[in-house]
Amino acid sequence: MSDGAITAPGPLVSGIGIEVKHGRRTVLDNVDIAIHRNELVTLIGPNGSGKTTLVRVLLGLEKPGKGSVTSSADLRVGYTPQSLTVDRTLPLDVQRFLAMSGISDPEILQKTLTSVGASAVFNQEIRLLSGGELKRVMLARALLREPDLLVLDEPTANVDVHGQTEFYELIRKIRDERGCGILLASHDLHLVMSATDRVVCLNGHVCCSGLPDAVSRDPAYLELFGEAASAVAFYSHDHDHHHA
Amino acid sequence: MPDFVLFALIAGIGVATVMGATGVFVVWRRMAYFGDTLAHSALLGVAVGFIAGIDVNIGIVGVCLFIAVGMVYLRSQRHLAEDTLLGILAHSSLALGLVAVSFLSALRVDLMSYLFGDILAITPTDIGWVYGGGTVALGVLAWLWKDLVAITVHEDLARTEGVNIIRTQIAFMILFALVIAMAMKIVGILLVTALLIIPAAAARRFARTPEQMAIFAAVAGSIAVALGLQGSLLWDLPSGPAIVVAAALIFVVTLAVPIRARAG
């Protein structure tokens, strides 16, 4: 393999029987998950359902109490954390932030930033960016690492609805162009459901998983999200322009 | 210029340079109180050095490291808030140091010089310590720099990009202990934190990059040393506090300097 890309079959990363306890609280209970190349897996679940913990376990940032995490050899991971706050005393512009990926050629940095639609902020201070701009800049830093696996934790929190739609289109485009595996954790339902290959619905344990269509009809999913789930149904109904 | 003033200036600038460059992390990582705690424990290090019959500097570095490790352990237990823990460690180690030093009165430990510094008593041997230790400290800082900045921005992100967090943090602790041992002679235990954070704070408004901020902080600290020494000689002020007052004045002046708006 001249470029070192992972093409072997089998998942990029997988977790089997993962259990995590924070103090006495069981955060994750017997969770199985796998992400393959060229696959966009979305992790949904209400706040406190263990999405971020599962992401951290898969990234090796947290050790599970039970179960195991296996990743393919030489796996390159690009990661965007849920939130990032640069202390106001730290002078840091976007160019420098991107260079922390290990790539410092300004041309490549600018090109990558343009590809995520944030070329205008190249010389801005990180802490002055809007929520949406920061998410794009973080995505650019993750992409600079030429990842086999892209892990995005709540990539559209603090982004307005229009921005969210654009962002999910961008993520699909990245998957199509680069063929990397993408794990996306999110608690907003409707956009996620339309943009993803496979949904894993989490609430401490895996409630249900599968194709978005199947999951959205699953009783466990409907019970977990209740009103929100029917709002999604209404949302897609609204856009189909079929009136019953 | 009399020799003792020259020695004071050379040593002071050496220490201020190292402290400025280290101090930016104290500001970025909000470690001011942590630095205070290590500085307070330095007096205990002095006592340990005397009692054990080893070099006082080694005693200080040893006790600072012990306190730093203790702090990391206590924090992991999560029983008390961090500032409470730091308060307990800072004051009990300072009190323990004062008690221990009082037993050593026969050895004539000059308490005031440890608490407030005695830069005018600097000897060529001290200069050797300052520049030897300072070179090591700056070397370690340069080696850690990229990883430290990455961890400061986001620890998990740095870790997924391959930064060894534990190794970097332990190395920074050792560096910190070394810097405090060096700085004690100049400004004293009670004012060490001032020389770590005031020059760094003064540098903030003029810096566009982390590196610029460290360099400006080192320069601001060195100017404070020169001005403070000058004031100390002219008006017979205590040298350590005079240096800190000079640093504070520099900070106030920087607030008044207009800065062009940072457009894109």
Side-chain angles (χ1 to χ4, degrees):
Chain A
M1 252 341 99
S2 59
D3 60 351
I6 295 166
T7 51
L12 293 168
V13 65
S14 63
I16 294 167
I18 290 173
E19 179 184 299
V20 175
K21 287 186 176 174
H22 288 170
R24 267 179 232 154
R25 201 170 85 89
T26 302
V27 183
L28 293 174
D29 182 21
N30 197 22
V31 171
D32 295 342
I33 190 166
I35 299 106
H36 298 79
R37 175 163 285 283
N38 212 5
E39 180 185 45
L40 203 173
V41 176
T42 303
L43 211 49
I44 56 170
N47 288 324
S49 59
K51 297 188 299 288
T52 293
T53 304
L54 181 54
V55 164
R56 287 174 52 85
V57 166
L58 291 173
L59 286 172
L61 296 170
E62 197 170 327
K63 286 244 180 320
K66 283 184 198 160
S68 63
V69 173
T70 316
S71 46
S72 56
D74 300 325
L75 180 73
R76 278 191 306 257
V77 178
Y79 168 52
T80 71
Q82 188 172 122
S83 64
L84 184 143
T85 316
V86 172
D87 195 279
R88 48 184 311 194
T89 58
L90 176 62
L92 193 75
D93 64 11
V94 170
Q95 179 179 0
R96 176 61 193 271
F97 179 81
L98 293 177
M100 290 166 83
S101 64
I103 290 165
S104 54
D105 180 352
E107 241 173 75
I108 298 174
L109 299 183
Q110 179 75 66
K111 215 177 97 193
T112 309
L113 197 58
T114 306
S115 76
V116 298
S119 58
V121 300
F122 194 56
N123 293 312
Q124 289 248 348
E125 286 254 337
I126 282 282
R127 66 193 172 84
L128 298 179
L129 300 181
S130 73
E133 285 167 342
L134 181 59
K135 295 289 182 185
R136 284 167 192 267
V137 169
M138 278 159 58
L139 180 60
R141 176 162 160 186
L143 290 176
L144 280 164
R145 294 172 51 75
E146 300 276 337
D148 305 301
L149 174 67
L150 195 56
V151 179
L152 312 169
D153 193 358
E154 297 282 1
T156 60
N158 307 321
V159 177
D160 61 55
V161 175
H162 175 69
Q164 288 181 12
T165 316
E166 268 186 20
F167 203 93
Y168 282 111
E169 275 167 20
L170 177 62
I171 290 168
R172 272 162 70 94
K173 202 175 119 205
I174 288 167
R175 194 272 317 265
D176 293 343
E177 283 174 1
R178 295 176 178 251
C180 55
I182 299 179
L183 175 65
L184 194 156
S186 180
H187 72 268
D188 41 47
L189 295 176
H190 41 277
L191 293 159
V192 165
M193 294 302 257
S194 63
T196 196
D197 298 324
R198 199 153 56 81
V199 175
V200 176
C201 178
L202 195 69
N203 189 26
H205 59 284
V206 176
C207 296
C208 51
S209 68
L211 299 173
D213 253 9
V215 166
S216 64
R217 284 192 301 270
D218 193 296
Y221 166 80
L222 292 169
E223 192 191 332
L224 185 58
F225 286 101
E227 299 244 317
S230 46
V232 174
F234 181 76
Y235 180 89
S236 47
H237 171 90
D238 197 32
H239 277 245
D240 286 335
H241 291 280
H242 293 299
H243 296 279
Chain B
M1 200 186 293
D3 271 358
F4 73 94
V5 179
L6 188 65
F7 292 162
L9 195 62
I10 293 172
I13 287 175
V15 166
T17 302
V18 177
M19 291 186 87
T22 314
V24 289
F25 283 105
V26 178
V27 171
W28 295 335
R29 296 174 66 79
R30 301 179 178 228
M31 293 171 71
Y33 205 16
F34 181 76
D36 236 11
T37 303
L38 289 193
H40 279 60
S41 69
L43 190 65
L44 189 57
V46 173
V48 167
F50 271 109
I51 291 166
I54 50 175
D55 191 288
V56 167
N57 290 301
I58 293 171
I60 295 168
V61 171
V63 170
C64 284
L65 285 178
F66 179 77
I67 295 287
V69 170
M71 179 62 209
V72 171
Y73 172 74
L74 286 174
R75 196 167 49 188
S76 71
Q77 300 299 302
R78 295 174 189 275
H79 291 310
L80 290 167
E82 184 154 349
D83 60 335
T84 308
L85 284 175
L86 286 171
I88 292 169
L89 284 175
H91 298 297
S92 51
S93 60
L94 179 62
L96 201 55
L98 288 167
V99 169
V101 166
S102 76
F103 283 119
L104 298 170
S105 52
L107 291 170
R108 273 182 286 176
V109 175
D110 182 0
L111 191 56
M112 287 302 275
S113 80
Y114 284 115
L115 289 179
F116 296 106
D118 194 2
I119 192 173
L120 298 177
I122 290 279
T123 64
T125 315
D126 293 328
I127 294 182
W129 257 102
V130 165
Y131 278 79
T135 307
V136 172
L138 286 181
V140 171
L141 195 60
W143 171 60
L144 293 178
W145 187 267
K146 268 176 96 169
D147 287 353
L148 268 173
V149 173
I151 292 174
T152 303
V153 170
H154 199 287
E155 197 173 301
D156 282 350
L157 192 50
R159 215 166 128 191
T160 55
E161 290 179 356
V163 175
N164 187 330
I165 308 281
I166 303 280
R167 192 192 66 190
T168 307
Q169 277 177 344
I170 288 174
F172 187 66
M173 290 290 180
I174 296 171
L175 173 75
F176 213 106
L178 192 64
V179 168
I180 283 171
M182 277 173 54
M184 252 187 59
K185 282 242 167 52
I186 310 300
V187 283
I189 288 164
L190 297 179
L191 299 172
V192 162
T193 316
L195 262 201
L196 283 170
I197 62 175
I198 300 178
R204 169 64 186 102
R205 289 180 71 226
F206 305 95
R208 297 297 303 264
T209 66
E211 294 74 25
Q212 268 182 13
M213 186 158 151
I215 291 167
F216 293 171
V219 171
S222 300
I223 294 172
V225 166
L227 291 178
L229 269 179
Q230 185 71 14
S232 175
L233 290 174
L234 279 179
W235 300 302
D236 198 23
L237 307 174
S239 55
I243 290 169
V244 175
V245 168
L249 286 176
I250 291 171
F251 173 71
V252 171
V253 169
T254 63
L255 289 183
V257 176
I259 292 189
R260 275 174 300 135
R262 291 211 187 125

